[in-house]
Amino acid sequence: MSLDPPTYLNSLSNNIRARPISWDGAVRAATITDQELKKIKAVDKVRKEQRRQTIENDYGAYVSLLLGSDGGKSVLESAAKRTDIVQYILVLSNDLISDVPDLAAHLLEHPDPFKPFVPLLSQSSNPEDPIPLLTSSVLATLIAKAQSMYPKSTAKIDEALPKLYKYLSDLTKSQDSGLQDIAVQGFSTVLQTKKSRELFWKQRSETVQPLFDILKTAAGTAGKDSESTIYSGGASIRSATDSGLSSGVSIQLLYHVLLTIWQLSFEGALVGKGLQEEQEIIPLYTYLLRLSPKEKTTRVLLSTLVNLLSPSKNRSTLLPTAVAARLPQLLLNLKARHLADQDLIEDLSSLADMLSDYTSSQTTFDEYSSEILASQLRWSPPHRDANFWRENAAKIINENRNELPKKLAEILSKSWDHDKQVLAVACNDVGWLVKECPDKRTLLEKMGIKSRVMELMNEPNESVRWESLKATGEWLRYNFES
């Protein structure tokens, strides 16, 4: 997969290329040698064809220049005190690798191909410092090439890649979208192999979390009660424009972040459960599908969901969550659109079939259980159905060591400022449980459910107040009767 180079990095590189450097002065000061200068001038500011021929005639000379040889230093190491030269050599390195692709393979045959570059990643804590920025680009390209040359990975790759991930992760936390895009594209460059994706997941507190912070900002849920926002389903495509989302995240950055998560999702069996537990990826992606302003973003969202829902070990946990997030209904709406992208259409069909097969096998209890476990309570039919509660209340309380009432207590403990309906439905359910299983009142009280429901009688929201009053009434009725 190839993406256009980040605009920020292009602009920075162009500025560095245009700066005059006193090369002769650097030779006189012994910062670089005369031989190194001759090699640089032979490929600097010349036509691509001439550059290619020069390097192809003496690959060894340019490997030695950039990486050092026979225990000697590379030009990056010998010129370490001249930041202008280091910046220039990093830009030139990127240009040479781009213009002469076989050079990367020769560089990787060096005993320590990443040695001059890795220390430069930590040279500065300033995210705008050109040296680590340019280094990350060179290093990502070399590591990606190394992964294709050595599919089983090597000790050198395993040593360099975590350090690159750490630097790029810090960059994604920048408030500058240009810097964020450099980081995200750096991730995408190296996430080409199973080993690189596994390592990315292993470092997920550094790597994955900032990417989802960007996605949640794009969805407008950052800093909010994300559960209530993403499950509310109120977003529409009108929330986006051609330049970006109403949140301020550009479509380009959104697309690149989604591509990176898509690459990670090829390890769906490894990451699926964790992405849902830690990032609520299923409801978030369902919400982003409603916002998606372009077919390309819709395509990568759907493809990621297919990758995550397909592994058999994920289906028991992720499919119920997808149903609770109302993904099946959204897919029906998408199918009604005029779509041109064939890959998108195939993924849409595959996902719809997968969910249809699942929902057709579910009982009403399964549907209710899915709602509770996904924290997505709506006035769906079971909540008002006396027969449902008569037949299932005891099962709801007792199954899986009281899993559902514990989850209900967790739901009630939150404020749900952006979706008070969840609290209203939860109070309704508590009332039914107390009515049908009065002998379980003590158990529910120990979970803090009774005290919380009574607190909600003072809730400003009329629906919540009414349902909490009814539920409290059921408790009091049995207290009086006993």
Side-chain angles (χ1 to χ4, degrees):
M1 177 173 43
S2 177
L3 299 173
D4 292 334
T7 304
Y8 188 109
L9 204 57
N10 268 347
S11 177
L12 175 63
S13 298
N14 287 335
N15 288 339
I16 291 171
R17 290 188 194 99
R19 294 173 190 167
I21 291 180
S22 175
W23 293 110
D24 293 333
V27 172
R28 288 194 298 274
T31 301
I32 62 173
T33 67
D34 187 58
Q35 282 299 109
E36 287 173 332
L37 179 57
K38 287 178 180 178
K39 294 174 190 175
I40 292 168
K41 288 191 171 182
V43 294
D44 187 32
K45 294 182 173 60
V46 298
R47 297 191 312 276
K48 286 184 180 181
E49 182 60 27
Q50 183 179 341
R51 173 179 286 171
R52 185 182 64 80
Q53 289 178 356
T54 300
I55 291 177
E56 288 178 348
N57 287 336
D58 195 354
Y59 279 114
Y62 288 90
V63 171
S64 176
L65 176 71
L66 299 178
L67 302 180
S69 63
D70 299 326
K73 293 182 178 181
S74 79
V75 68
L76 288 168
E77 293 168 315
S78 59
K81 294 182 179 180
R82 286 284 302 271
T83 57
D84 58 336
I85 291 179
V86 173
Q87 291 175 15
Y88 201 91
I89 295 299
L90 287 169
V91 172
L92 183 62
S93 298
N94 251 331
D95 292 342
L96 297 181
I97 293 170
S98 174
D99 293 345
V100 191
D102 287 345
L103 175 60
H106 287 271
L107 290 169
L108 293 167
E109 291 173 356
H110 187 278
D112 205 348
F114 311 125
K115 180 175 176 287
F117 301 106
V118 171
L120 298 179
L121 292 174
S122 56
Q123 176 164 303
S124 170
S125 60
N126 178 6
E128 296 183 5
D129 190 309
I131 289 178
L133 280 174
L134 294 164
T135 300
S136 70
S137 179
V138 177
L139 198 53
T141 302
L142 284 177
I143 290 176
K145 178 66 175 178
Q147 289 172 336
S148 67
M149 288 177 61
Y150 311 108
K152 293 185 179 180
S153 193
T154 68
K156 296 301 181 184
I157 297 174
D158 294 344
E159 181 183 351
L161 191 52
K163 295 174 182 177
L164 177 62
Y165 281 160
K166 175 65 170 68
Y167 171 75
L168 295 176
S169 298
D170 290 341
L171 206 57
T172 58
K173 299 170 188 173
S174 167
Q175 298 303 305
D176 188 307
S177 62
L179 297 176
Q180 289 177 319
D181 200 41
I182 292 172
V184 174
Q185 290 207 45
F187 283 145
S188 186
T189 299
V190 296
L191 282 174
Q192 306 291 333
T193 65
K194 181 179 180 67
K195 183 67 180 287
S196 65
R197 294 189 287 265
E198 288 173 344
L199 181 57
F200 189 82
W201 180 245
K202 185 178 180 181
Q203 290 181 235
R204 63 186 177 276
S205 62
E206 294 176 327
T207 56
V208 174
Q209 184 60 54
L211 298 180
F212 275 87
D213 290 341
I214 294 172
L215 291 181
K216 289 170 185 176
T217 298
T221 64
K224 299 179 181 178
D225 182 346
S226 61
E227 274 188 318
S228 63
T229 305
I230 61 181
Y231 276 116
S232 66
S236 78
I237 199 168
R238 289 187 295 276
S239 302
T241 66
D242 284 341
S243 59
L245 302 173
S246 58
S247 62
V249 175
S250 71
I251 291 174
Q252 173 178 279
L253 179 58
L254 172 64
Y255 179 60
H256 292 161
V257 173
L258 292 175
L259 274 176
T260 301
I261 302 300
W262 169 73
Q263 289 171 275
L264 178 63
S265 74
F266 279 92
E267 308 307 321
L270 171 68
V271 308
K273 184 179 178 182
L275 283 175
Q276 176 53 31
E277 290 178 349
E278 297 167 19
Q279 305 297 342
E280 293 187 314
I281 190 171
I282 302 301
L284 175 61
Y285 267 47
T286 304
Y287 190 79
L288 286 169
L289 274 171
R290 295 189 179 98
L291 286 171
S292 180
K294 300 286 185 180
E295 280 201 5
K296 67 178 184 179
T297 51
T298 300
R299 179 183 67 244
V300 75
L301 284 163
L302 289 173
S303 184
T304 302
L305 289 171
V306 169
N307 288 345
L308 295 176
L309 293 172
S310 294
S312 56
K313 68 177 293 184
N314 291 347
R315 295 195 174 198
S316 63
T317 53
L318 300 191
L319 285 173
T321 304
V323 172
R326 292 183 283 177
L327 180 58
Q329 296 93 316
L330 178 58
L331 297 182
L332 287 175
N333 293 339
L334 287 174
K335 279 188 169 183
R337 296 183 189 172
H338 179 69
L339 301 170
D341 188 299
Q342 192 58 41
D343 289 337
L344 186 162
I345 293 169
E346 289 177 5
D347 283 334
L348 177 57
S349 178
S350 174
L351 198 55
D353 289 346
M354 196 186 309
L355 287 163
S356 177
D357 290 344
Y358 171 76
T359 54
S360 64
S361 68
Q362 298 303 291
T363 64
T364 305
F365 175 83
D366 292 328
E367 294 173 6
Y368 175 80
S369 177
S370 296
E371 273 193 36
I372 295 288
L373 294 176
S375 302
Q376 201 247 335
L377 298 182
R378 291 287 172 270
W379 288 117
S380 53
H383 299 283
R384 302 288 202 190
D385 186 342
N387 288 330
F388 170 80
W389 290 103
R390 211 164 19 248
E391 295 169 2
N392 293 287
K395 184 178 180 181
I396 289 169
I397 291 177
N398 296 322
E399 191 161 90
N400 293 332
R401 298 182 179 180
N402 318 119
E403 178 185 33
L404 293 179
K406 287 176 182 175
K407 185 64 179 180
L408 199 57
E410 179 188 316
I411 292 169
L412 282 165
S413 70
K414 299 178 180 180
S415 64
W416 296 92
D417 290 333
H418 301 280
D419 194 3
K420 292 296 185 181
Q421 179 180 229
V422 173
L423 288 176
V425 178
C427 288
N428 166 83
D429 292 3
V430 169
W432 280 108
L433 291 174
V434 174
K435 180 178 180 179
E436 297 298 332
C437 301
D439 57 313
K440 298 295 183 181
R441 284 174 294 163
T442 301
L443 174 66
L444 298 176
E445 287 178 24
K446 287 180 179 178
M447 294 180 185
I449 289 177
K450 180 181 179 181
S451 59
R452 176 57 174 156
V453 167
M454 294 182 73
E455 283 178 16
L456 291 173
M457 289 192 295
N458 297 314
E459 167 67 40
N461 183 278
E462 183 179 355
S463 178
V464 175
R465 196 166 61 247
W466 171 243
E467 295 299 337
S468 63
L469 281 168
K470 288 199 301 178
T472 302
E474 289 296 334
W475 237 298
L476 294 176
R477 181 163 72 88
Y478 281 101
N479 285 343
F480 287 133
E481 289 180 359
S482 59

